[in-house]
Amino acid sequence: MAGEEAAAKVKGRVPDTARSVVELLNSRPYAPLALPDRLDEGDTARRILEPFGLPDGDTPSPGQLDLVRTVRADLMAIVSAVDAESAERGWQDLTTHSAEVTLRRTFSVDGTRLTRVSGDPLVCGIATTVAGLVGDGSWSRIRVCGSDRCSAVFYDTTRSRTQRWHSYESCGNRANVAAHRARRSAPGAASDGR
């Protein structure tokens, strides 16, 4: 019960747009279980892509899914980049793969908004969502789990933006236990009789 309450509290601190991007990135096949590509599963793909503009009940075409997978790979390259140069290459690839999308800024009493003029609607939805996260400073909170055995993507909800694992209970605890064992078995480690 306490775990469910904590999960609900964290979920409430993650913007819906960021949650959608995290779910898209986690739809790829990744460790530790070598899960299948969740975009291959019709109902799951629809649920994942609806926040990016897939009309309710529609099925994305194979061509659209290929474009989405390409953009997803670009985004993964960005969030998993180990240096600024790698991240920049990811951003350039994203720019190239979303270049067909043309947007128009529309003005109204309620403010301004970007409207798609041409290009794939799903790529447009993903690109504008990412642009919004970059613009409001949330993009830097999207991270890849620091565990060697896991590469799940998560949204860092910590104030200091230093969260390392997608789940402390699984990946964080495992890493801490392994580090503790390594320290205890290191040559010259003090033995306290425990």
Side-chain angles (χ1 to χ4, degrees):
M1 177 84 169
E4 292 172 10
E5 290 174 7
K9 184 177 178 183
V10 167
K11 185 178 179 181
R13 294 187 300 203
V14 179
D16 289 341
T17 53
R19 188 176 302 112
S20 297
V21 169
V22 167
E23 186 169 23
L24 173 66
L25 296 176
N26 283 332
S27 70
R28 78 201 190 286
Y30 68 92
L33 303 175
L35 301 169
D37 188 330
R38 292 175 47 219
L39 294 180
D40 289 339
E41 305 163 8
D43 291 339
T44 303
R46 279 192 292 277
R47 185 182 52 73
I48 291 169
L49 297 175
E50 280 177 359
F52 303 110
L54 181 69
D56 192 24
D58 277 11
T59 300
S61 71
Q64 280 184 305
L65 289 174
D66 288 343
L67 286 170
V68 168
R69 285 186 182 99
T70 300
V71 169
R72 180 182 68 185
D74 296 340
L75 295 173
M76 277 307 302
I78 295 164
V79 298
S80 62
V82 294
D83 57 30
E85 186 177 313
S86 300
E88 184 58 34
R89 276 194 306 273
W91 286 116
Q92 289 171 359
D93 289 344
L94 178 63
T95 299
T96 299
H97 296 129
S98 61
E100 70 173 42
V101 174
T102 304
L103 301 168
R104 174 181 296 134
R105 183 175 302 275
T106 57
F107 298 89
S108 70
V109 173
D110 299 326
T112 65
R113 151 190 126 136
L114 293 175
T115 306
R116 182 181 65 86
V117 175
S118 65
D120 184 80
L122 290 177
V123 172
C124 177
I126 294 167
T128 55
T129 299
V130 169
L133 293 171
V134 170
D136 72 12
S138 300
W139 177 258
S140 63
R141 291 185 175 274
I142 297 178
R143 305 228 167 109
V144 177
C145 183
S147 171
D148 293 341
R149 297 176 56 184
C150 177
S151 59
V153 175
F154 66 94
Y155 185 84
D156 182 353
T157 59
T158 63
R159 184 180 299 189
S160 61
R161 296 179 184 228
T162 56
Q163 185 174 338
R164 294 183 53 204
W165 303 289
H166 84 281
S167 166
Y168 184 80
E169 289 76 22
S170 60
C171 294
N173 191 40
R174 187 178 299 127
N176 288 337
V177 168
H180 174 73
R181 288 181 180 153
R183 284 191 304 271
R184 289 197 55 179
S185 66
S191 176
D192 61 4
R194 286 189 241 179

